[in-house]
Amino acid sequence: GTAAGDFTVTGGTGQTGGADVSITAGTTTATNAGGAVSLIAGVGTAHTGGAVTIEAGVGTATTSGALTIATKNGGGSGATGGASGKMIFSSGTTANGNSGALY
């Protein structure tokens, strides 16, 4: 069979700064949750699954870019207040060999 088409979003190169690329989910004005953003690599049915890589930019003459992963504060107060979003780092299990390591 044929391979599916790739999808690439690239910010341009500039002399005084590279272009920013942002992905922002929608905001709700009702009591429903705001929009979610998911990055999910492809399934490899007969081979290794796809990888997800997130990395900050190199600073060829100075400091590299920062990588920030954060949850926001919970809203409300008292009994109706919400908790801050949790952070989950997990690795899958395997029936053969080592599971993925977390560093």
Side-chain angles (χ1 to χ4, degrees):
T2 59
D6 293 340
F7 177 77
T8 303
V9 177
T10 304
T13 302
Q15 291 181 335
T16 59
D20 295 336
V21 175
S22 299
I23 300 172
T24 304
T27 301
T28 181
T29 56
T31 57
N32 300 322
V37 175
S38 298
L39 297 174
I40 302 171
V43 174
T45 56
H47 208 289
T48 305
V52 174
T53 302
I54 301 173
E55 61 183 23
V58 64
T60 56
T62 61
T63 307
S64 65
L67 177 63
T68 303
I69 301 174
T71 64
K72 292 293 190 179
N73 296 335
S77 62
T80 61
S84 174
K86 61 184 168 184
M87 298 184 80
I88 301 170
F89 296 91
S90 64
S91 177
T93 61
T94 182
N96 186 15
N98 294 326
S99 294
L102 295 175
Y103 299 96

